[in-house]
Amino acid sequence: AFDVRLASSGRVVHVAATQTVVAALAAAGVEVPTSCEQGVCGTCLTRVLEGTPDHRDLYLTEEEQAAGDQFLPCCSRAKGGLLVLDL
Ligand code: FES
């Protein structure tokens, strides 16, 4: 489990081990547009301002994943305790 912080509001949302980032945000009233929810379409692409994503998608290239400044929150997670998202 880990937390995500929304850069715009400073709000922190906890992501349980059993839920996706998209689901945790939706439960907190923050809607991220999704389509496939399997990491293939890129619809949910979100910028990462701080922290290290644990990429689980099939959409970003290896280089894009390594850059660590964006991730697919329908399936990807965090390495470490906190991601700050451009939301
Ligand atoms: Fe398709 Fe996240 S909804 S990659």
Side-chain angles (χ1 to χ4, degrees):
F2 54 95
D3 292 320
V4 295
R5 188 162 80 219
L6 311 183
S8 61
S9 62
R11 200 162 158 209
V12 174
V13 176
H14 186 69
V15 184
T18 52
Q19 65 184 165
T20 66
V21 175
V22 162
L25 289 171
V30 181
E31 298 295 334
V32 175
T34 61
S35 179
C36 72
E37 302 201 0
Q38 296 179 28
V40 298
C41 73
T43 302
C44 65
L45 189 69
T46 300
R47 286 189 55 76
V48 175
L49 303 178
E50 282 177 46
T52 306
D54 178 9
H55 295 288
R56 308 275 179 96
D57 67 277
L58 302 169
Y59 176 80
L60 295 173
T61 65
E62 266 181 51
E63 289 76 14
E64 287 170 333
Q65 290 192 349
D69 60 354
Q70 52 189 345
F71 86 140
L72 283 306
C74 67
C75 59
S76 293
R77 309 189 65 80
K79 286 181 181 159
L82 178 71
L83 287 181
V84 180
L85 303 180
D86 188 17
L87 289 175

